[in-house]
Amino acid sequence: SAKSGDEDRRLVQQCVEDLQKFDLIITHYGDSFRFDVPYVRTRAVSMDIPFPSYGTIKQRDTYPILKSKFRLSRNRQENAVRTLVGETEKNHIDGRLWRAAARGDAKAISYVLDHNMRDVRDLERLWNKIKDFARPSNNSL
């Protein structure tokens, strides 16, 4: 059984294993000074799960590219995809659904998974649209 604060160990372990399958990770507002990567790194390190060391995986973030090279009404991923790509697959999740998924509700988990897959496809389409406007970088996770 998981110790208190360690309930997501299996998910964090799987996330780290999945990260190691790639040589480049694309995020939106998630690079090392924002949210996604620092969050996963913190959870992994706090559980003694080896996290990829600096230089092993490259990372690019769409947010700073949008902020510096485009003039959008908002730099949110959904708005950027809608404006630059033309359409978004985005669907929305309210807090009750997130909590139901966290409790193990299969229908809620399925919805959250679908939501996340749509989000990743949108991010890929956005990256492919704006990557040529980005300064070359060797940023690392």
Side-chain angles (χ1 to χ4, degrees), residues 71-87:
R71 191 57 49 213
L72 302 172
S73 60
R74 298 177 82 188
N75 291 319
R76 294 179 57 129
Q77 179 180 318
E78 180 180 5
N79 185 59
V81 171
R82 195 176 310 282
T83 303
L84 300 174
V85 176
E87 63 180 339

Side-chain angles (χ1 to χ4, degrees), residues 42-80:
T42 300
R43 295 300 297 145
V45 170
S46 72
M47 292 184 236
D48 293 322
I49 296 171
F51 191 83
S53 60
Y54 186 84
T56 58
I57 301 172
K58 304 255 185 292
Q59 181 190 10
R60 299 304 308 269
D61 194 294
T62 57
Y63 179 82
I65 300 165
L66 293 171
K67 190 171 177 171
S68 66
K69 301 296 181 185
F70 294 88
R71 191 57 49 213
L72 302 172
S73 60
R74 298 177 82 188
N75 291 319
R76 294 179 57 129
Q77 179 180 318
E78 180 180 5
N79 185 59

Side-chain angles (χ1 to χ4, degrees), residues 1-3 5-17 43-50:
S1 96
K3 65 182 181 179
D6 214 7
E7 297 85 0
D8 58 347
R9 170 179 282 282
R10 182 180 57 81
L11 295 173
V12 173
Q13 179 68 47
Q14 186 64 57
C15 184
V16 170
E17 289 174 16
R43 295 300 297 145
V45 170
S46 72
M47 292 184 236
D48 293 322
I49 296 171

Side-chain angles (χ1 to χ4, degrees), residues 102-120:
R103 288 190 307 273
D105 179 281
K107 191 173 182 179
I109 290 170
S110 178
Y111 189 89
V112 169
L113 176 61
D114 177 66
H115 168 83
N116 290 339
M117 291 171 64
R118 289 168 182 260
D119 193 55
V120 168

